[in-house]
Amino acid sequence: MSENCDQPPHLPLGLAKRGFAGTIQHLAASGAGSSLPDTELESRLIELGFVEGARVEILHEGIVGRDPIAVRVDNITVAVRRREAMAIIVA
């Protein structure tokens, strides 16, 4: 039996659907597809509370293209674009 069987899969928050709940594993701004520079995107996400170990839950999705998404991060609710949420790796 593989060690990974007990581990939930890691995925970008931007791919998760409404109702997803998990924990932030790390940020991966490079290659997220954002129009912001990687360092600025990572800094903004941290300022919003997207830090390693924080609990996240997708509460709502926009009607057009499921964008933006409303996310509860620990005890706050914020809206983020899916392309920026691609930088937030969760499990």
Side-chain angles (χ1 to χ4, degrees), residues 33-74:
S34 173
S35 58
L36 297 172
D38 294 348
T39 54
E40 186 175 343
L41 173 59
E42 189 170 316
S43 178
R44 286 184 181 197
L45 291 172
I46 290 169
E47 288 172 359
L48 290 171
F50 292 99
V51 295
E52 188 175 315
R55 297 278 307 148
V56 293
E57 179 182 0
I58 298 181
L59 303 174
H60 183 75
E61 299 175 329
I63 295 171
V64 178
R66 298 179 19 216
D67 204 22
I69 56 176
V71 182
R72 178 172 293 131
V73 185
D74 285 336

